[in-house]
Amino acid sequence: MIALRIATILLVATLATIQIDSREQKPKCSVVGHLVLEPLASRVFGNTRMLRVWLPPGYEPENHAKRYPVLYLNDGQNLFDACTSIFSSDEWQADETATALIESGKIPPMIIVGIDNAGKRDRPKEYLPFPDETLTPATPDVHGKEYPRFLLEEVIPLVSKNFRTDDSPDKTGIGGSSYGAGIALYTIMTHPDRFGRLLLESPSLYAHDDFLLHEAERFHRWPEKVFVGVGSVQEPVDDVHRLMEILRRDGLGSDRLRIVEQTSAGHNEQAWASRFPTALQFLYGAAQSR
């Protein structure tokens, strides 16, 4: 009887330990490759954020004269490390994906720049050119119209000064997810000759009476390559279909436009990570390095 009681106590203690460990379990921090954190004090937005600059294998000390294609992505906190991701315990795994594709020769060595957002509360203010009437609490004071100036006058010059980027339009891309995708599309339409690659994941296009979609209908100077990814669970599938029709009417065929609809995928970093290898290969495939 005593042995049975001891065994029961040990079992209860073990289960309690497991429950505590489960509650305290934190995402595993990991970055593959060389990630440089570059602080940026923005005059445009009047705040400070981090730029997360991922450098490809062989960037240093070899190839000092070589310049690299570059992809600027919004929501930089969510790209490289689950420990910095602000919406979930998942990340885009941009570092792991780029490393594998570069080492296998599927894309050329390239630089990926994650531009941190201003935090959960202020993120919509910087990513929305016009208010999103569906937001709770309401956020009528938005400054997304200033985002292209922030990118072109502050982010890109700082990165170009400190890192060996190839800033020619055909080697420069921009992208993001959700609101971050919407402001990337807005930037393309306001500065059509600056970027040759566009990556849109689960793009939020509905705000202000479908403003971005209406603008897209009037716009015709699209980048050389456009990738759009979307899931099927609480995702903007209809808006992506409308955007796809607009792009195809403007002459973007399969060599310039890739739309990936992923069944059962939701609006989250896990879904965007799963499509990122396809996006990178389409936008920056080995043929682009010639």
Side-chain angles (χ1 to χ4, degrees):
M1 177 66 74
I2 294 175
L4 179 60
R5 290 176 62 188
I6 292 174
T8 302
I9 292 171
L10 290 174
L11 177 60
V12 171
T14 301
L15 290 174
T17 301
I18 291 173
Q19 290 175 348
I20 292 172
D21 290 344
S22 176
R23 287 196 302 268
E24 295 180 350
Q25 188 175 9
K26 297 180 180 179
K28 182 179 179 181
C29 301
S30 66
V31 174
V32 173
H34 189 183
L35 184 67
V36 180
L37 303 183
E38 192 81 19
L40 170 63
S42 171
R43 297 181 306 276
V44 172
F45 289 127
N47 54 25
T48 299
R49 78 196 64 225
M50 201 67 70
L51 303 182
R52 302 172 189 271
V53 184
W54 184 85
L55 303 174
Y59 181 87
E60 292 180 336
E62 305 89 351
N63 301 322
H64 286 294
K66 181 179 176 62
R67 294 197 169 271
Y68 296 84
V70 57
L71 174 61
Y72 293 90
L73 291 174
N74 295 318
D75 293 317
Q77 299 100 314
N78 306 338
L79 301 177
F80 305 106
D81 194 339
C83 288
T84 63
S85 184
I86 67 171
F87 292 109
S88 73
S89 59
D90 293 315
E91 46 150 320
W92 279 46
Q93 299 179 357
D95 45 341
E96 290 91 344
T97 295
T99 298
L101 293 177
I102 290 169
E103 291 182 345
S104 63
K106 293 179 180 178
I107 64 171
M110 63 178 294
I111 294 171
I112 300 176
V113 180
I115 308 166
D116 277 14
N117 60 51
K120 289 182 180 180
R121 181 174 181 178
D122 290 334
R123 178 176 178 265
K125 296 179 182 179
E126 294 186 353
Y127 284 175
L128 287 168
F130 291 95
D132 177 358
E133 295 82 1
T134 69
L135 273 180
T136 303
T139 307
D141 184 24
V142 296
H143 307 284
K145 288 183 178 180
E146 295 298 314
Y147 197 82
R149 185 163 71 91
F150 160 73
L151 182 62
L152 295 169
E153 296 183 9
E154 296 185 330
V155 174
I156 291 179
L158 180 62
V159 172
S160 298
K161 176 183 176 182
N162 295 334
F163 304 94
R164 300 194 305 275
T165 54
D166 183 341
D167 293 327
S168 57
D170 64 314
K171 299 296 178 65
T172 305
I174 183 174
S177 59
S178 194
Y179 281 164
I183 198 62
L185 177 60
Y186 178 80
T187 301
I188 286 286
M189 292 190 293
T190 55
H191 294 79
D193 298 323
R194 188 60 188 83
F195 302 93
R197 307 283 180 261
L198 175 61
L199 191 163
L200 305 177
E201 279 291 356
S202 306
S204 296
L205 307 174
Y206 59 86
H208 202 67
D209 192 26
D210 296 341
F211 168 81
L212 290 173
L213 285 169
H214 292 311
E215 286 297 298
E217 289 174 343
R218 292 187 284 268
F219 183 78
H220 306 290
R221 298 163 62 186
W222 296 104
E224 184 61 29
K225 296 244 180 198
V226 179
F227 178 93
V228 187
V230 69
S232 63
V233 181
Q234 296 182 329
E235 280 275 81
V237 178
D238 291 341
D239 287 346
V240 166
H241 288 172
R242 286 179 60 185
L243 181 61
M244 177 178 64
E245 292 173 1
I246 292 169
L247 294 171
R248 287 179 173 170
R249 284 200 304 268
D250 272 346
L252 275 68
S254 59
D255 59 327
R256 294 182 59 194
L257 174 64
R258 178 74 58 85
I259 307 287
V260 174
E261 293 189 40
Q262 189 176 6
T263 303
S264 300
H267 197 84
N268 52 53
E269 284 74 24
Q270 187 176 23
W272 303 326
S274 70
R275 297 191 290 265
F276 194 56
T278 303
L280 271 191
Q281 289 181 77
F282 178 72
L283 295 173
Y284 290 91
Q288 303 301 324
S289 64
R290 293 199 296 266

